[in-house]
Amino acid sequence: MSRKFTPKVVTANDLLVGDVVYLTATNEWTRDHAKAELIEDEAHAQLRLLEGAGQKNIIVGAYLADARLGENGPEPVHFREVFRTRGPSNYAMGKQVGELPGPRS
Amino acid sequence: MYSYSDFDEAFVRSRVAQFSQQVSRRIDGSLTEDEFKPLRLMNGLYLQLHAYMLRVAIPYGTLSSRQMHQLAHIARTWDKGYGHFTTRQNIQYNWPVLGDVPAILSALADVEMHAIQTSGNCVRNVTSDHFAGAAADEIEDPRPYAELLRQWSTDHPEFQFLPRKFKIAITGSPNDRAVTKAHDIGLRMLRNAKGEIGFEVMVGGGLGRTPMIGQVVRDFLPVADLLPYTEAVLSVYNRLGRRDNKYKARIKITVHETGLEEIRRLVEERFAEIRPDFHGHDQVLLDDIRAAFAPPAFRNAPTDAHDQFYAADPVYRAWCDTNLTRHRNSEYAIVTISLKAQGKTPGDATADQMDLMADLAARLGHDELRISHEQNVILPHVHKSDLPALHAALSAAGLGTANVGLISDIIACPGMDYCALATARSIPVAQDIALRFDELKLEHEIGPLKLKISGCINACGHHHVGHIGILGLDRAGVENYQITLGGDGTETAVIGERAGPGFAYDEIVPAIERLVQAYLSLRTEETETFLQTYRRLGLPPFKAALYPAEGAQDAK
């Protein structure tokens, strides 16, 4: 018997800038995990992954990542995905300070 | 230092132009990611966890002050003001945006640098002893040979699509500071009975998933045979290497599966076949390269300033005791600048720090800098009378840490703070260990101890050859850290022994503390190092310290 499906989000990296993005229910890419579409059905997840990965000139490397519903929207489950919502732990850089890759402004 | 020939210059510029157009075509959609990815990897551009990452080669770890200034300029202009020096004598920029990469490569080309062959299944940056050309124990400067290998391997048509990546390290000293035994090919310079210089050639070393120590395939290779013999090794590997399984594709597996004797026979056979095609042009080239590595004009001056400061200033004395190495010229010293200030990220330097080190190299160090595989910066030629001024300038910029070779001089890969392959974080573990032992004021008492941390099985942090190695893994969705003990990356190389079950993130620092406290109580005298104590007693007493009887330490 196959394992029970756990909820997912579609995530990738932005082609031009490189930072982490998530697919929303309206087919846009958000930099905020909480605004991602939480996908609770396996067939729908595969479809959404195809639709996301199809946006080849916007994003790179789309995949499904485990997520669960939190207070403000979907939250990551695995620590790797938690780090992707924040940035590195050695410097206040990246998403945790609302900063994109590239030079500091 | 070696300067680009017209050929080098034209080649690097044309690659920058090609890649600039490839980036444009990717951005306008005429190249797909599947088409673009191999092209960007050939130019050192990775896509990591939070951003792109550009890996720039520092051939045999040698930089001029002009080049170091340019690395600082790049960090400031197109990145977030810092760079990360790696265990392969590269620098990595962690935050470039795609559209800026052509400008960065162009800025690198302006100072005779590039990111070519820092990724992909080709011959990577040839690494060398970071004290080359300065060390008192050296037979000959190995860098001309490294440069010859660089020129030969760059864009070599036969070796652009090897079964897997290929790493060559070369040392000119009997004391191996280049970890040659953990490379696909390790070259160790020696003299034969007639006093001629040649190489001991080792093949099939490597860390990663299946760590192995390189085996001697040729006891003595005359220097004139370096290129044809290396080509023979590559050629045999190119034919026999496993392309069916990525995890069995490195030459260490080829050597293991084929057997050393058979590999040796095949290499010698191929060597005999291709040797006649080398008519001596490579040796003419080598002579030109050698001339470029002529030692600087050493100054002759009193060293009293150093002696007086050494006697009077305990902070300066501590720094001299750990961070200086004997130079072949007795009035000079080799200075290791620690990029391991306790609590900071191992191997990181800010743009301002890079500029300062470049200025100091220009002013006090015959314009030369080195990057070590241990992620520090070296000024190889500093007159002893200049050391007090140098130390003062470094200390004012947070670069005066006196810890080279001690427990806080940790090698750490970027781990899951940056790397897409990582299974756990390395950097914060390194930071916490360094801070803890600094707080205990124990590290000088502990003495020489190499602690190395990798955030995944690929072992970029060389954990297998650390006296204490730490490997970060993902165990059921939680970070877990395994400890190996007794590893050694020198001429007496040994792969460390796994101590037992892993530790959770918040258990790893206390575990290391128990281990080191055990060493302090077990050593026969202060001069017996951690590694010597481990070799004398073996794993059991250390294991007992790591896993006290009551309470399982395994982070399940």
Side-chain angles (χ1 to χ4, degrees):
Chain A
M1 219 177 92
S2 62
R3 274 202 305 183
K4 188 173 173 289
F5 179 77
T6 51
K8 302 275 190 289
V9 295
V10 177
T11 180
N13 287 77
D14 182 273
L15 167 67
L16 296 180
V17 177
D19 73 332
V20 175
V21 290
Y22 305 94
L23 189 63
T24 67
T26 53
N27 246 5
E28 285 161 346
W29 294 94
T30 174
R31 292 181 153 82
D32 182 356
H33 193 289
K35 293 187 178 140
E37 176 189 10
L38 187 68
I39 308 165
E40 311 212 40
D41 172 81
E42 187 162 12
H44 186 57
Q46 290 305 326
L47 180 68
R48 295 298 288 146
L49 177 60
L50 282 175
E51 287 170 350
Q55 299 187 35
K56 289 175 182 169
N57 292 330
I58 300 173
I59 55 91
V60 181
Y63 64 94
L64 292 168
D66 284 337
R68 62 183 156 228
L69 192 61
E71 266 179 37
N72 302 310
E75 289 175 353
V77 173
H78 192 275
F79 63 90
R80 184 179 194 269
E81 293 305 321
V82 175
F83 297 153
R84 288 179 83 239
T85 66
R86 292 202 299 241
S89 57
N90 62 331
Y91 299 119
M93 289 179 183
K95 284 196 191 308
Q96 58 200 324
V97 291
E99 186 185 69
L100 291 176
R104 313 198 90 169
S105 45
Chain B
M1 273 180 62
Y2 180 77
S3 254
Y4 273 9
S5 64
D6 292 347
F7 178 87
D8 296 323
E9 168 79 15
F11 172 72
V12 171
R13 293 287 178 190
S14 73
R15 279 290 290 265
V16 173
Q18 279 171 11
F19 188 59
S20 302
Q21 290 173 7
Q22 288 157 355
V23 169
S24 300
R25 293 207 295 280
R26 177 67 185 106
I27 290 172
D28 74 19
S30 44
L31 284 178
T32 65
E33 187 61 21
D34 286 347
E35 290 163 334
F36 180 65
K37 188 176 175 184
L39 300 172
R40 69 167 158 81
L41 289 176
M42 283 170 78
N43 290 286
L45 186 64
Y46 288 72
L47 185 55
Q48 294 284 37
L49 222 47
H50 313 294
Y52 286 98
M53 179 272 280
L54 184 69
R55 179 182 292 159
V56 177
I58 299 170
Y60 31 89
T62 296
L63 285 172
S64 66
S65 60
R66 179 165 166 256
Q67 289 172 321
M68 186 64 121
H69 277 306
Q70 190 76 331
L71 295 180
H73 169 69
I74 290 168
R76 207 175 270 127
T77 311
W78 295 290
D79 206 278
K80 296 194 187 296
Y82 73 104
H84 177 74
F85 292 103
T86 77
T87 51
R88 297 222 69 259
Q89 298 181 313
N90 296 311
I91 181 169
Q92 294 183 170
Y93 292 106
N94 288 312
W95 302 98
V97 299
L98 181 59
D100 285 343
V101 174
I104 300 174
L105 294 180
S106 189
L108 288 168
D110 289 345
V111 295
E112 305 184 353
M113 293 181 77
H114 61 71
I116 297 165
Q117 289 184 208
T118 60
S119 175
N121 295 335
C122 52
V123 179
R124 302 289 187 89
N125 185 28
V126 177
T127 53
S128 185
D129 180 2
H130 41 272
F131 296 159
D137 61 353
E138 188 172 86
I139 296 168
E140 193 188 323
D141 188 340
R143 292 174 301 157
Y145 303 100
E147 172 59 26
L148 185 68
L149 287 165
R150 184 192 72 80
Q151 296 190 16
W152 162 84
S153 63
T154 300
D155 215 27
H156 193 300
E158 194 178 334
F159 305 134
Q160 291 303 294
F161 298 95
L162 294 165
R164 199 75 179 85
K165 58 184 155 183
F166 202 91
K167 301 173 182 176
I168 303 175
I170 177 166
T171 175
S173 296
N175 297 301
D176 183 2
R177 290 172 289 262
V179 209
T180 59
K181 290 191 175 185
H183 283 76
D184 296 291
I185 292 181
L187 297 163
R188 202 168 66 92
M189 211 176 273
L190 41 74
R191 283 182 198 279
N192 65 8
K194 290 184 206 155
E196 297 158 338
I197 291 176
F199 297 102
E200 178 184 60
V201 184
M202 290 158 287
V203 295
L207 304 177
R209 185 173 295 264
T210 319
M212 289 187 188
I213 297 297
Q215 301 185 68
V216 177
V217 66
R218 177 73 101 89
D219 294 328
F220 186 83
L221 182 75
V223 293
D225 292 340
L226 179 62
L227 288 193
Y229 193 84
T230 309
E231 187 161 316
V233 174
L234 261 298
S235 155
V236 167
Y237 166 58
N238 209 9
R239 190 157 60 84
L240 295 186
R242 296 271 303 261
R243 291 171 197 270
D244 60 316
N245 183 340
K246 187 181 172 183
Y247 301 122
K248 295 185 175 177
R250 295 289 290 269
I251 194 174
K252 61 189 171 188
I253 305 293
T254 314
V255 172
H256 185 72
E257 290 185 347
T258 312
L260 182 65
E261 285 309 313
E262 179 63 3
I263 289 286
R264 182 179 290 135
R265 191 188 68 75
L266 291 167
V267 169
E268 293 295 340
E269 190 178 271
R270 178 70 181 151
F271 173 69
E273 201 176 350
I274 60 179
R275 183 67 184 87
D277 294 338
F278 286 75
H279 300 293
H281 177 69
D282 59 329
Q283 296 308 298
V284 175
L285 191 62
L286 180 62
D287 282 341
D288 291 346
I289 296 171
R290 274 203 192 101
F293 286 95
F298 293 122
R299 222 166 77 213
N300 216 333
T303 60
D304 307 5
H306 163 67
D307 301 334
Q308 285 159 12
F309 265 82
Y310 189 86
D313 179 353
V315 175
Y316 177 72
R317 188 159 59 238
W319 178 77
C320 290
D321 288 346
T322 50
N323 294 36
L324 301 186
T325 306
R326 199 157 70 87
H327 196 281
R328 64 174 53 153
N329 180 321
S330 61
E331 286 181 13
Y332 274 73
I334 301 171
V335 176
T336 300
I337 302 172
S338 170
L339 296 185
K340 315 288 179 67
Q342 293 87 354
K344 301 286 187 190
T345 303
D348 277 15
T350 65
D352 289 348
Q353 288 176 327
M354 288 186 228
D355 275 336
L356 176 79
M357 291 186 281
D359 282 338
L360 291 169
R363 203 151 56 80
L364 307 173
H366 293 275
D367 206 38
E368 252 195 65
L369 303 106
R370 306 288 174 75
I371 306 305
S372 73
H373 79 270
E374 293 181 317
Q375 302 179 287
N376 290 314
V377 176
I378 282 99
L379 302 184
H381 312 293
V382 182
H383 193 271
K384 285 182 181 169
S385 65
D386 292 326
L387 288 171
L390 178 72
H391 177 248
L394 290 172
S395 297
L399 292 168
T401 312
N403 66 344
V404 171
L406 304 182
I407 194 170
S408 61
D409 183 10
I410 298 170
I411 288 184
C413 72
M416 206 184 270
D417 287 304
Y418 295 92
C419 179
L421 299 175
T423 43
R425 287 171 295 172
S426 316
I427 293 169
V429 174
Q431 290 172 312
D432 290 350
I433 291 171
L435 284 172
R436 179 62 185 149
F437 283 93
D438 192 43
E439 183 182 62
L440 295 171
K441 297 288 167 228
L442 265 183
E443 67 176 331
H444 288 268
E445 193 186 326
I446 297 162
L449 202 163
K450 294 198 185 291
L451 199 154
K452 303 176 196 281
I453 309 175
S454 304
C456 83
I457 199 164
N458 294 310
C460 293
H462 292 190
H463 65 277
H464 297 111
V465 293
H467 303 165
I468 299 176
I470 299 177
L471 166 63
L473 295 169
D474 171 352
R475 195 158 154 190
V478 181
E479 286 169 294
N480 188 268
Y481 294 88
Q482 281 181 3
I483 294 177
T484 52
L485 294 173
D488 174 3
T490 70
E491 64 281 1
T492 47
V494 175
I495 302 293
E497 203 175 346
R498 201 180 138 192
F503 294 88
Y505 182 82
D506 58 0
E507 292 173 344
I508 185 68
V509 179
I512 297 298
E513 191 176 328
R514 288 198 301 280
L515 191 63
V516 172
Q517 292 288 2
Y519 152 66
L520 290 175
S521 63
L522 290 165
R523 68 182 177 186
T524 51
E525 52 190 351
E526 267 186 37
T527 54
E528 188 183 56
T529 64
F530 179 90
L531 188 60
Q532 287 165 341
T533 306
Y534 183 81
R535 285 180 171 169
R536 179 170 58 82
L537 296 172
L539 187 57
F542 294 98
K543 195 165 178 164
L546 279 174
Y547 308 100
E550 58 277 1
Q553 293 297 315
D554 190 2
K556 289 207 170 117

Coordinates of all heavy atoms in Angstrom, one line a residue, chain B residues 408-469:
Chain B
S408 N 40.1 25.7 17.4 CA 39.2 26.6 16.8 C 39.6 26.9 15.4 O 38.8 27.6 14.6 CB 39.1 27.9 17.6 OG 40.3 28.6 17.7
D409 N 40.7 26.4 14.9 CA 41.1 26.6 13.5 C 40.4 25.5 12.7 O 41.0 24.6 12.1 CB 42.6 26.5 13.3 CG 43.1 26.7 11.9 OD1 42.3 27.1 11.1 OD2 44.3 26.5 11.7
I410 N 39.1 25.6 12.6 CA 38.2 24.5 12.1 C 38.0 24.6 10.6 O 37.7 25.7 10.1 CB 36.9 24.5 12.8 CG1 37.1 24.2 14.3 CG2 35.9 23.4 12.2 CD1 35.8 24.4 15.2
I411 N 38.1 23.5 9.9 CA 37.6 23.5 8.5 C 36.1 23.2 8.6 O 35.7 22.3 9.3 CB 38.3 22.4 7.7 CG1 39.8 22.7 7.4 CG2 37.6 22.2 6.4 CD1 40.5 21.7 6.4
A412 N 35.3 24.0 7.9 CA 33.9 23.7 7.8 C 33.4 24.0 6.4 O 33.7 25.1 5.9 CB 33.1 24.5 8.8
C413 N 32.7 23.1 5.8 CA 32.1 23.4 4.5 C 30.9 24.3 4.7 O 30.5 24.6 5.8 CB 31.7 22.1 3.9 SG 30.2 21.4 4.7
P414 N 30.4 24.9 3.7 CA 29.2 25.8 3.9 C 28.0 25.1 4.5 O 27.2 25.8 5.1 CB 28.9 26.3 2.4 CG 30.2 26.2 1.7 CD 30.8 24.9 2.3
G415 N 27.9 23.8 4.3 CA 26.8 23.1 4.9 C 25.4 23.6 4.5 O 25.3 24.3 3.5
M416 N 24.4 23.3 5.3 CA 23.0 23.6 4.9 C 22.7 25.1 5.1 O 21.6 25.5 4.8 CB 22.0 22.7 5.5 CG 20.8 22.6 4.7 SD 19.4 21.7 5.4 CE 19.8 20.1 4.8
D417 N 23.7 25.9 5.4 CA 23.4 27.3 5.4 C 23.5 27.9 4.0 O 22.9 29.0 3.7 CB 24.4 28.1 6.3 CG 24.0 27.8 7.8 OD1 22.9 28.1 8.1 OD2 24.9 27.3 8.5
Y418 N 24.1 27.1 3.1 CA 24.2 27.6 1.7 C 24.0 26.5 0.6 O 23.4 26.7 -0.4 CB 25.6 28.2 1.4 CG 25.8 29.5 2.2 CD1 26.4 29.4 3.5 CD2 25.3 30.7 1.8 CE1 26.6 30.6 4.2 CE2 25.5 31.9 2.5 CZ 26.1 31.8 3.7 OH 26.3 32.9 4.5
C419 N 24.5 25.3 1.0 CA 24.7 24.3 -0.1 C 23.5 23.5 -0.3 O 22.8 23.0 0.6 CB 25.9 23.4 0.3 SG 26.2 22.1 -0.8
A420 N 23.1 23.3 -1.6 CA 22.0 22.5 -2.0 C 22.1 21.0 -1.7 O 21.2 20.3 -1.6 CB 21.6 22.8 -3.4
L421 N 23.4 20.5 -1.6 CA 23.6 19.1 -1.4 C 23.7 18.7 0.1 O 23.6 17.6 0.4 CB 24.9 18.7 -2.0 CG 25.1 18.9 -3.5 CD1 26.5 18.5 -4.0 CD2 24.1 18.0 -4.3
A422 N 23.8 19.7 0.9 CA 24.1 19.5 2.4 C 22.9 18.7 3.0 O 21.7 18.9 2.6 CB 24.3 20.8 3.1
T423 N 23.2 17.9 4.0 CA 22.2 17.3 4.8 C 22.0 17.8 6.2 O 21.1 17.5 6.9 CB 22.5 15.8 4.9 OG1 23.9 15.6 5.2 CG2 22.2 15.1 3.6
A424 N 23.0 18.7 6.6 CA 22.9 19.4 7.9 C 23.8 20.6 7.9 O 24.6 20.8 6.9 CB 23.4 18.4 9.0
R425 N 23.7 21.5 8.9 CA 24.5 22.6 8.9 C 25.9 22.3 9.5 O 26.0 21.4 10.3 CB 23.9 23.7 9.8 CG 22.7 24.4 9.2 CD 22.0 25.2 10.2 NE 21.4 24.4 11.3 CZ 20.8 24.9 12.4 NH1 20.8 26.2 12.6 NH2 20.3 24.1 13.3
S426 N 26.9 23.0 9.0 CA 28.3 22.9 9.5 C 28.7 24.2 10.2 O 29.4 24.1 11.3 CB 29.3 22.7 8.4 OG 28.9 21.8 7.5
I427 N 28.5 25.3 9.6 CA 29.0 26.6 10.1 C 28.6 26.8 11.6 O 29.5 27.1 12.4 CB 28.6 27.8 9.2 CG1 29.2 27.6 7.8 CG2 28.9 29.1 9.8 CD1 28.7 28.5 6.8
P428 N 27.4 26.8 12.0 CA 27.1 27.1 13.4 C 27.7 26.1 14.4 O 28.0 26.5 15.5 CB 25.5 27.1 13.4 CG 25.0 26.5 12.2 CD 26.1 26.5 11.2
V429 N 27.9 24.9 13.9 CA 28.6 23.9 14.8 C 30.0 24.3 15.0 O 30.5 24.3 16.1 CB 28.5 22.5 14.2 CG1 29.3 21.5 15.0 CG2 27.1 22.0 14.0
A430 N 30.7 24.7 13.9 CA 32.0 25.2 14.0 C 32.1 26.5 14.9 O 33.0 26.6 15.8 CB 32.6 25.6 12.7
Q431 N 31.2 27.4 14.7 CA 31.1 28.6 15.6 C 31.0 28.3 17.0 O 31.7 28.8 17.9 CB 30.0 29.5 15.1 CG 30.2 30.1 13.7 CD 28.9 30.8 13.2 OE1 27.8 30.3 13.3 NE2 29.1 32.0 12.7
D432 N 30.1 27.4 17.3 CA 29.8 27.0 18.7 C 31.0 26.3 19.4 O 31.3 26.6 20.6 CB 28.5 26.2 18.8 CG 27.2 27.0 18.5 OD1 27.4 28.2 18.4 OD2 26.2 26.4 18.4
I433 N 31.6 25.4 18.7 CA 32.8 24.7 19.2 C 33.9 25.7 19.5 O 34.5 25.7 20.6 CB 33.2 23.6 18.3 CG1 32.2 22.5 18.2 CG2 34.6 23.0 18.8 CD1 32.5 21.4 17.2
A434 N 34.1 26.6 18.6 CA 35.2 27.6 18.7 C 34.9 28.5 19.9 O 35.8 28.8 20.7 CB 35.4 28.4 17.5
L435 N 33.7 28.9 20.0 CA 33.3 29.8 21.1 C 33.4 29.1 22.5 O 33.9 29.7 23.5 CB 31.9 30.4 20.9 CG 31.7 31.5 19.9 CD1 30.3 31.8 19.6 CD2 32.5 32.7 20.3
R436 N 33.0 27.9 22.5 CA 33.0 27.1 23.8 C 34.5 26.9 24.3 O 34.7 27.2 25.5 CB 32.4 25.7 23.6 CG 32.3 24.9 24.8 CD 31.6 25.5 25.9 NE 31.6 24.7 27.1 CZ 31.6 25.2 28.4 NH1 31.4 26.5 28.5 NH2 31.6 24.4 29.4
F437 N 35.4 26.6 23.4 CA 36.8 26.3 23.9 C 37.5 27.7 24.2 O 38.4 27.7 25.0 CB 37.5 25.4 22.9 CG 37.1 24.0 23.1 CD1 36.2 23.4 22.3 CD2 37.7 23.2 24.1 CE1 35.8 22.1 22.4 CE2 37.4 21.9 24.2 CZ 36.4 21.3 23.4
D438 N 37.0 28.7 23.5 CA 37.6 30.0 23.8 C 37.1 30.5 25.2 O 37.9 31.0 26.0 CB 37.1 31.0 22.8 CG 37.9 32.3 22.9 OD1 39.1 32.3 23.0 OD2 37.2 33.4 22.8
E439 N 35.9 30.2 25.5 CA 35.3 30.5 26.8 C 36.0 29.7 27.9 O 36.3 30.2 29.0 CB 33.8 30.1 26.8 CG 32.9 30.4 27.9 CD 31.5 29.8 27.7 OE1 31.3 28.6 27.5 OE2 30.6 30.7 27.6
L440 N 36.3 28.5 27.6 CA 37.0 27.6 28.6 C 38.5 28.0 28.7 O 39.2 27.5 29.6 CB 36.9 26.1 28.2 CG 35.5 25.5 28.2 CD1 35.6 24.1 27.6 CD2 35.0 25.4 29.6
K441 N 39.0 28.8 27.8 CA 40.4 29.2 27.8 C 41.3 28.0 27.8 O 42.3 27.9 28.5 CB 40.8 30.1 29.0 CG 40.0 31.5 29.0 CD 40.5 32.4 27.9 CE 39.5 33.6 27.8 NZ 39.2 33.9 26.4
L442 N 40.9 27.1 26.9 CA 41.6 25.8 26.9 C 42.4 25.5 25.7 O 43.3 24.6 25.7 CB 40.6 24.6 27.1 CG 40.3 24.1 28.5 CD1 39.4 22.9 28.4 CD2 41.6 23.7 29.2
E443 N 42.2 26.3 24.6 CA 42.7 25.8 23.3 C 44.2 25.8 23.2 O 44.8 24.9 22.6 CB 42.0 26.5 22.1 CG 42.3 27.9 21.9 CD 41.7 28.4 20.6 OE1 41.5 27.5 19.7 OE2 41.3 29.6 20.5
H444 N 44.9 26.7 23.9 CA 46.4 26.7 23.8 C 46.9 25.5 24.7 O 47.9 24.9 24.3 CB 47.0 28.0 24.3 CG 46.8 29.1 23.2 ND1 47.7 29.3 22.3 CD2 45.7 29.9 23.0 CE1 47.2 30.3 21.5 NE2 46.0 30.6 21.9
E445 N 46.2 25.2 25.7 CA 46.6 24.0 26.6 C 46.4 22.7 25.8 O 47.2 21.8 25.9 CB 45.8 24.0 27.9 CG 46.3 23.1 28.9 CD 45.4 22.9 30.1 OE1 44.8 23.9 30.5 OE2 45.3 21.8 30.7
I446 N 45.3 22.7 25.0 CA 45.0 21.5 24.2 C 46.1 21.2 23.2 O 46.5 20.1 22.9 CB 43.6 21.6 23.6 CG1 42.5 21.6 24.6 CG2 43.4 20.4 22.6 CD1 41.2 22.2 24.1
G447 N 46.5 22.3 22.6 CA 47.6 22.2 21.6 C 47.1 21.8 20.2 O 45.9 21.9 19.9
P448 N 48.0 21.3 19.3 CA 47.6 21.0 18.0 C 46.5 20.0 17.9 O 46.5 18.9 18.4 CB 48.9 20.4 17.4 CG 50.0 20.8 18.2 CD 49.4 21.0 19.6
L449 N 45.4 20.4 17.2 CA 44.3 19.5 17.0 C 43.5 20.0 15.8 O 43.1 21.1 15.7 CB 43.4 19.6 18.3 CG 42.4 18.4 18.5 CD1 41.9 18.4 19.9 CD2 41.3 18.4 17.5
K450 N 43.3 19.1 14.8 CA 42.6 19.4 13.6 C 41.2 18.9 13.7 O 41.0 17.7 13.7 CB 43.4 18.9 12.4 CG 44.7 19.6 12.2 CD 45.3 19.4 10.9 CE 46.7 20.0 10.8 NZ 46.7 21.5 10.8
L451 N 40.2 19.8 13.7 CA 38.8 19.5 13.8 C 38.2 19.9 12.5 O 38.4 21.1 12.0 CB 38.2 20.2 15.0 CG 36.9 19.6 15.5 CD1 36.6 19.9 16.9 CD2 35.7 20.2 14.7
K452 N 37.5 19.0 11.8 CA 37.0 19.3 10.4 C 35.6 18.8 10.3 O 35.2 17.7 10.7 CB 37.9 18.6 9.4 CG 39.4 18.9 9.4 CD 40.2 18.1 8.4 CE 41.7 18.2 8.7 NZ 42.4 19.4 8.3
I453 N 34.7 19.7 9.8 CA 33.3 19.4 9.7 C 32.8 19.4 8.3 O 33.0 20.4 7.6 CB 32.5 20.5 10.6 CG1 33.1 20.6 12.0 CG2 31.1 20.1 10.6 CD1 32.5 21.8 12.8
S454 N 32.0 18.4 7.9 CA 31.3 18.4 6.7 C 29.8 18.3 6.9 O 29.4 17.6 7.8 CB 31.7 17.1 5.8 OG 33.1 17.1 5.6
G455 N 29.1 19.0 6.1 CA 27.6 18.9 6.2 C 26.9 17.9 5.3 O 25.7 17.9 5.2
C456 N 27.7 17.0 4.7 CA 27.1 15.9 4.0 C 28.2 14.9 3.7 O 29.4 15.2 3.9 CB 26.4 16.3 2.7 SG 27.4 16.5 1.3
I457 N 27.8 13.8 3.2 CA 28.7 12.7 2.9 C 29.8 13.0 1.9 O 30.8 12.3 1.8 CB 27.9 11.4 2.5 CG1 28.6 10.1 2.7 CG2 27.3 11.6 1.1 CD1 27.7 8.9 2.7
N458 N 29.6 14.0 1.1 CA 30.6 14.4 0.1 C 31.9 14.9 0.7 O 32.9 14.9 0.0 CB 30.0 15.4 -0.9 CG 28.9 14.7 -1.7 OD1 29.1 13.6 -2.3 ND2 27.8 15.4 -1.7
A459 N 31.9 15.3 1.9 CA 33.1 15.5 2.7 C 34.0 16.7 2.2 O 35.2 16.6 2.3 CB 34.0 14.2 2.8
C460 N 33.4 17.7 1.7 CA 34.1 18.9 1.4 C 34.9 19.5 2.6 O 35.9 20.1 2.4 CB 33.2 20.0 0.9 SG 32.5 19.6 -0.7
G461 N 34.4 19.2 3.8 CA 35.1 19.7 5.0 C 36.2 18.7 5.5 O 36.7 18.9 6.6
H462 N 36.5 17.7 4.7 CA 37.6 16.8 5.0 C 37.5 16.1 6.3 O 38.5 15.8 7.0 CB 39.0 17.6 4.9 CG 39.4 18.1 3.6 ND1 40.6 18.6 3.4 CD2 38.7 18.1 2.4 CE1 40.7 18.9 2.1 NE2 39.6 18.7 1.5
H463 N 36.3 15.8 6.8 CA 36.1 15.3 8.1 C 36.9 14.0 8.4 O 37.3 13.7 9.4 CB 34.7 15.2 8.5 CG 33.9 14.2 7.7 ND1 33.4 14.5 6.5 CD2 33.6 12.9 7.9 CE1 32.8 13.4 6.0 NE2 32.9 12.4 6.8
H464 N 37.0 13.1 7.3 CA 37.7 11.8 7.5 C 39.1 12.0 7.9 O 39.7 11.1 8.4 CB 37.7 11.1 6.1 CG 36.3 10.7 5.6 ND1 35.7 11.3 4.5 CD2 35.4 9.8 6.1 CE1 34.5 10.7 4.3 NE2 34.3 9.9 5.3
V465 N 39.8 13.1 7.5 CA 41.2 13.3 7.8 C 41.4 14.3 9.0 O 42.5 14.7 9.2 CB 42.0 13.6 6.6 CG1 42.1 12.4 5.6 CG2 41.6 14.9 5.9
G466 N 40.3 14.6 9.7 CA 40.4 15.4 10.9 C 40.8 14.5 12.0 O 40.4 13.4 12.1
H467 N 41.6 15.1 12.9 CA 41.9 14.3 14.2 C 40.6 14.0 14.8 O 40.3 12.9 15.4 CB 42.8 15.1 15.1 CG 44.1 15.5 14.5 ND1 45.0 16.5 15.0 CD2 44.7 15.1 13.4 CE1 46.0 16.6 14.3 NE2 45.9 15.8 13.3
I468 N 39.7 15.1 14.8 CA 38.3 14.9 15.1 C 37.5 15.3 13.9 O 37.7 16.4 13.4 CB 37.9 15.8 16.3 CG1 38.7 15.4 17.6 CG2 36.4 15.6 16.6 CD1 38.4 16.3 18.8
G469 N 36.7 14.4 13.4 CA 35.9 14.8 12.2 C 34.4 14.7 12.6 O 34.0 13.9 13.5

